[in-house]
Amino acid sequence: MSQRIEKPTLSGQRIKTRKRDEKEKYDPGSFRDAILRGLNEPNSDLEQVSKFLDTAGSKLDYRRYGEALFDILVAGGILAPGGTLADLDAPRSEICVFSANNDLETLKNHAQLFTKLIRRYKYLEKTLDDEFKKLVMFLKGFTPEQREKLAKVTAILLSGGQISAGILAKVLQDHLVKDGIALDFIIEVFKIWLGEKDGNAVWASLRKAGLDTKLLEFLPSSKRSIEFLSETFKSHGLTQLTDNLKAQENKSVKRELQQQVVELMKENATLDEVVSYVKDQMKKNGLSEHEIVVLLWTSLMTIVDWNKRQELVHEQAIKHLRMYTSLLSAFTSSTKAELALLVKMQEYCYDNMAFMKAFEKILVLFYKTDVVSEDSILKWYKDAHSSKGKSIFLEQTRKFVEWLQNAEEESEDED
């Protein structure tokens, strides 16, 4: 008699989902209504709103609805893509940036709401930065007055460090640049930002965000030139930025010129050809002698593979530089240029340890070949030297300088 075999069955433990593990439905509308009830209390002012927002964070989910919260504080309601309100029939708050008076003091008070919030709820810092990146992309959807208010609040928060300068890169949208909206916006931002912060601090922030080299991109393509940007900034009183802009352009021109000089030298161009080319570029770009001679020194020291043995480097340096003394002397007709060269030499020899003991030999070479004069050497020694390796180089050249001074005194006696 066969025994019946039971068929295998699937079995397992049923796990009951805990209530706290159930995913809560994303409902920004309910969050908005809860916030608006606090903001729209009768006779509410910014002080009361600030207190309400401070306490509401313990009950409402700011972490999840941070974007909606900042939308309300800027536009009075939740924004849809493009910059319009997501629900035009929904209630909105009049206590927001877009409904505020367009004066700096009032907008500073509104900006203070954001500042207090991110100080109280640290996790909102990134949300605030992301919010402004989004808002500046929606500029075309806002009215000119709303854009102006947003620019002022942006500048206030930038000056206080609550948001990063990187948000301005988001203004570089083709449609905003083409219509001139991008340029108008950053000009308004810069006007307020420079009123709150030093020009060098503003430029440092732009440089950190990589925007110092992208300012031309805010101009419509038909007007994209350094001259137009400089004139535009100047006409709006942004002279501090114009100065930085010119300095950067100057730096860029010198870097390109240095590369060209190095190429000419590597191609064995004659010294007359190099001098002629450099003088043309000097005139074309408005460069001065003291800038050029420093550039030439750097170029000369770049084109050589220096010996690693210190005792051989000195001989190699003198042999190399002797070939180019006429090139350097063509651009040292002023004391300022001679001193610039001496300081650059000093700093180079200090930064490159193998040249520390070669400084005096180079100095004597340049004196004998009329690259630098006796007066410039004495001025450098007394008060125009760099702080880099000061005691080392002054001691190294002491005897030579004393010889120059004695020779000068003897010459005066003979006269």
Side-chain angles (χ1 to χ4, degrees), residues 306-373:
W306 297 106
N307 200 300
K308 297 194 185 315
R309 294 177 62 183
Q310 187 172 338
E311 61 273 18
L312 296 178
V313 163
H314 301 172
E315 185 181 338
Q316 185 186 9
I318 297 300
K319 185 178 179 182
H320 170 64
L321 291 170
R322 185 177 280 116
M323 294 189 296
Y324 295 99
T325 52
S326 61
L327 171 62
L328 292 170
S329 63
F331 299 95
T332 53
S333 62
S334 68
T335 303
K336 188 174 183 179
E338 291 181 9
L339 289 172
L341 175 59
L342 290 170
V343 169
K344 185 63 180 178
M345 282 167 50
Q346 178 189 342
E347 292 178 345
Y348 180 89
C349 291
Y350 180 79
D351 292 336
N352 297 271
M353 297 296 287
F355 290 86
M356 286 285 279
K357 294 180 180 178
F359 179 79
E360 184 191 12
K361 292 180 180 179
I362 298 172
L363 181 65
V364 172
L365 170 67
F366 285 172
Y367 169 69
K368 288 181 176 179
T369 53
D370 295 324
V371 176
V372 293
S373 66

Side-chain angles (χ1 to χ4, degrees), residues 146-156 185 188-189 192:
Q146 288 172 340
R147 290 199 287 266
E148 188 180 337
K149 290 176 183 177
L150 180 63
K152 289 177 179 177
V153 171
T154 300
I156 294 163
F185 183 79
E188 191 62 42
V189 169
I192 304 301

Side-chain angles (χ1 to χ4, degrees), residues 5-11:
I5 301 171
E6 291 185 12
K7 293 180 179 180
T9 58
L10 291 172
S11 63

Side-chain angles (χ1 to χ4, degrees), residues 206-247:
L206 293 174
R207 189 168 58 245
K208 186 178 179 181
L211 286 169
D212 58 325
T213 57
K214 292 185 177 181
L215 291 176
L216 280 177
E217 295 177 28
F218 287 92
L219 297 172
S221 56
S222 60
K223 300 176 180 177
R224 199 165 289 173
S225 71
I226 196 73
E227 292 78 15
F228 182 82
L229 184 61
S230 295
E231 283 302 314
T232 302
F233 279 176
K234 191 175 180 181
S235 67
H236 287 89
L238 305 176
T239 52
Q240 294 177 72
L241 287 186
T242 305
D243 293 342
N244 286 111
L245 203 60
K246 285 180 179 176

Side-chain angles (χ1 to χ4, degrees), residues 210-320:
L211 286 169
D212 58 325
T213 57
K214 292 185 177 181
L215 291 176
L216 280 177
E217 295 177 28
F218 287 92
L219 297 172
S221 56
S222 60
K223 300 176 180 177
R224 199 165 289 173
S225 71
I226 196 73
E227 292 78 15
F228 182 82
L229 184 61
S230 295
E231 283 302 314
T232 302
F233 279 176
K234 191 175 180 181
S235 67
H236 287 89
L238 305 176
T239 52
Q240 294 177 72
L241 287 186
T242 305
D243 293 342
N244 286 111
L245 203 60
K246 285 180 179 176
Q248 180 168 282
E249 181 67 12
N250 180 275
K251 189 176 178 181
S252 176
V253 166
K254 287 192 287 186
R255 186 166 54 245
E256 289 177 17
L257 178 55
Q258 183 177 316
Q259 290 172 352
Q260 289 298 318
V261 169
V262 168
E263 287 301 315
L264 285 171
M265 289 177 177
K266 286 182 177 179
E267 291 168 4
N268 296 318
T270 66
L271 292 183
D272 286 341
E273 287 173 336
V274 177
V275 169
S276 177
Y277 175 77
V278 173
K279 283 190 172 180
D280 286 344
Q281 293 299 311
M282 180 179 166
K283 186 176 180 180
K284 178 182 175 183
N285 296 294
L287 297 172
S288 57
E289 262 196 353
H290 69 272
E291 292 175 303
I292 292 294
V293 77
V294 167
L295 179 153
L296 291 174
W297 166 270
T298 305
S299 302
L300 290 173
M301 303 309 277
T302 302
I303 60 174
V304 180
D305 292 326
W306 297 106
N307 200 300
K308 297 194 185 315
R309 294 177 62 183
Q310 187 172 338
E311 61 273 18
L312 296 178
V313 163
H314 301 172
E315 185 181 338
Q316 185 186 9
I318 297 300
K319 185 178 179 182
H320 170 64

Side-chain angles (χ1 to χ4, degrees), residues 28-68:
S30 296
F31 175 83
R32 174 200 61 208
D33 295 341
I35 291 292
L36 291 180
R37 280 195 291 273
L39 266 56
N40 292 339
E41 284 285 325
N43 302 316
S44 278
D45 57 18
L46 287 175
E47 187 68 31
Q48 289 173 297
V49 166
S50 181
K51 290 178 181 176
F52 164 74
L53 292 172
D54 187 55
T55 55
S58 59
K59 303 171 188 175
L60 301 175
D61 194 350
Y62 282 178
R63 193 182 295 274
R64 194 175 191 196
Y65 297 107
E67 182 184 349

Side-chain angles (χ1 to χ4, degrees), residues 150-178:
L150 180 63
K152 289 177 179 177
V153 171
T154 300
I156 294 163
L157 294 174
L158 282 168
S159 65
Q162 285 80 38
I163 57 177
S164 64
I167 68 143
L168 296 177
K170 296 296 181 181
V171 185
L172 291 171
Q173 308 295 316
D174 289 342
H175 63 288
L176 297 178
V177 173
K178 182 181 177 182

